[in-house]
Amino acid sequence: MNYENEIRTCLDRFETVLREQLAREEKMEREAAAVDYAKKEKIRIGLIPGDGIGTVIFESARQVLDLLLGKKLAEGKVELVPIEGLTIENRLACGESVPAPILAAIKSCDVLLKGPTTTPKGGTDAPDMESANVTLRRELDLYANVRPVSVPGEGIDWTFFRENTEGEYVLGSRGVEVGDKLACDFKITTDAGTRRIARAAFEFARKNGKQSVAIVTKANIMKKTDGKFSRIANEIAAEYPEIAHEDWYIDIMTANLVNKEIRDRFQVFLLPNLYGDIITDEAAQIQGGVGTGGSANIGDRYAMFEAIHGSAPRMIAEGKGHYANPQSILRASEMLLRHISFTEEADLLAAALEETTGPDAAVVIDGYEGATCAEYTACLTEALRRRLSR
Ligand code: IPM
Ligand code: MG
């Protein structure tokens, strides 16, 4: 069989991708300054519940924000903006990963709190719809995915800096197929894209007194893309002589995280997108499960905070969605509050989370055995009310 025409179509697609990505790289080089939230009269927080277990855990976050922000809402210093319709049903019906009116509403906000949204799987009859996360990370240019994981009893205090707008991810819905014989996806690493995430990681390390950053790639195999990532990360590292840096490969690093002998010596991790995605689920599991992992998507203009995990269609199918653990989105809410310099509110939430998840907690989330999301939330809001009335 002759594949000439199909190959031409693929080459055209490849050319488009290269031109688009080069234009994006050039735009990134004209760096924007980060927003100073302290100078804003009013901060608009967009609320996007998502779908699947998203709506369940989001309800918990909504109650917590209403409580914590009561005073600032009354003073008009902050506004909570409900954004409806970012559900898999509506997205499929509109044929858009993030329907245009929803994207416009999102862009009218400063920061966002988002519940998980379902992503259709490739290789099925479903259309190749892009993940809403990927669309939003690109549209809002949220280049740093920051994921803290800590297990104080074991000396674990990790912060992952996952590149969030490049790698295998950005073009994951735009790969090509030649007949039914061959499939090819695109992986992109740019100079400016790597520089900005590397700088974010090293700046964080410097500001927070961290001694080392682990640069994690698979540059022995992905010579061009990961090779560039590693080389540029090392160049940026040279600007931070007080911070040690080490190159690691992703495979051994996944082993390191379960190696109790050495894992507590790692502090900050800097990784390309897909490796960051995978290893942060592993790290969150070590912390107590993905249901405990918060995630911040940071850009210069916008920031979006969410749970580390997806919409858990399996839990919904089993009729167990009400057992979803809201701690992930609550930790994301804490990160949001800190990001906009609402430190007092963030500290209150952190203290209440610690109180209600510690060994003396009144209710315990434990898979399908322990408390439901609503039961845990009642306990948490009670702890918050007590603290607020002090
Ligand atoms: C994450 C999630 C998303 C991702 C999914 C839901 C698209 O796993 O934020 O880590 O793969 O980035
Ligand atoms: Mg993930």
Side-chain angles (χ1 to χ4, degrees), residues 6 28 68 102 111 117 173 175 193 226 251 287 321 323 351 388:
E6 296 195 13
M28 262 186 284
L68 279 173
I102 300 180
V111 291
T117 44
S173 316
D226 286 3
D251 46 354
Q287 175 176 261
Y323 280 107
L388 283 164

Side-chain angles (χ1 to χ4, degrees), residues 51-330:
D51 53 44
I53 60 165
T55 55
V56 179
I57 60 174
F58 204 83
E59 178 50 29
S60 177
R62 193 194 307 269
Q63 288 181 32
V64 165
L65 286 184
D66 280 344
L67 258 178
L68 279 173
L69 295 176
K71 194 157 153 259
K72 287 207 162 77
L73 282 165
E75 291 167 355
K77 294 209 168 114
V78 68
E79 190 182 345
L80 296 176
V81 184
I83 296 174
E84 301 297 335
L86 197 67
T87 61
I88 185 64
E89 296 79 14
N90 192 35
R91 291 162 57 218
L92 285 174
C94 296
E96 276 180 294
S97 143
V98 179
I102 300 180
L103 185 59
I106 287 175
K107 286 189 170 171
S108 78
C109 296
D110 298 296
V111 291
L112 302 137
L113 184 68
K114 176 185 157 293
T117 44
T118 302
T119 304
K121 183 165 174 268
T124 66
D125 290 339
D128 275 354
M129 176 172 284
E130 188 171 56
S131 142
N133 284 35
V134 173
T135 308
L136 289 173
R137 289 166 186 169
R138 181 184 58 245
E139 288 292 328
L140 308 179
D141 204 19
L142 307 173
Y143 59 87
N145 193 321
V146 186
R147 299 185 157 175
V149 165
S150 87
V151 186
E154 294 194 33
I156 292 175
D157 183 8
W158 298 327
T159 310
F160 294 84
F161 279 75
R162 161 186 174 188
E163 200 293 319
N164 215 21
T165 51
E166 308 199 336
E168 293 85 346
Y169 259 73
V170 261
L171 300 166
S173 316
R174 296 179 56 193
V176 292
E177 279 180 293
V178 179
D180 52 7
K181 298 284 181 197
L182 177 158
C184 176
D185 283 319
F186 304 117
K187 169 166 174 166
I188 297 283
T189 300
T190 68
D191 249 64
T194 308
R195 262 177 229 293
R196 64 183 186 176
I197 185 67
R199 201 156 268 131
F202 280 94
E203 278 298 312
F204 169 86
R206 177 173 277 174
K207 287 195 187 113
N208 292 278
K210 306 286 181 193
Q211 287 91 42
S212 71
V213 174
I215 300 162
V216 189
T217 64
K218 190 73 184 172
N220 49 342
I221 303 299
M222 295 275 102
K223 310 244 190 232
K224 292 285 178 268
T225 48
D226 286 3
K228 179 185 277 300
F229 191 97
S230 170
R231 180 176 57 74
I232 291 179
N234 276 278
E235 278 169 27
I236 300 288
E239 296 172 23
Y240 299 80
E242 79 280 19
I243 298 162
H245 63 281
E246 292 181 324
D247 267 300
W248 287 92
Y249 293 134
I250 182 63
D251 46 354
I252 189 63
M253 189 52 96
T254 59
N256 289 346
L257 293 200
V258 287
N259 180 346
K260 293 192 175 173
E261 301 290 311
I262 62 168
R263 65 182 178 187
D264 61 357
R265 76 175 173 87
F266 296 106
Q267 299 179 330
V268 179
F269 300 78
L270 167 59
L271 328 86
N273 207 339
L274 182 59
Y275 312 137
D277 173 49
I278 295 168
I279 207 170
T280 52
D281 268 15
E282 183 194 14
Q285 191 62 37
I286 292 167
Q287 175 176 261
V290 292
T292 66
S295 168
N297 301 269
I298 312 283
D300 291 326
R301 164 76 184 85
Y302 297 102
M304 181 172 83
F305 299 81
E306 60 185 349
I308 207 173
H309 53 78
S311 58
R314 257 192 218 117
M315 270 179 98
I316 297 289
E318 287 172 24
K320 304 280 193 190
H322 54 294
Y323 280 107
N325 188 346
Q327 281 161 24
S328 52
I329 196 127
L330 295 168

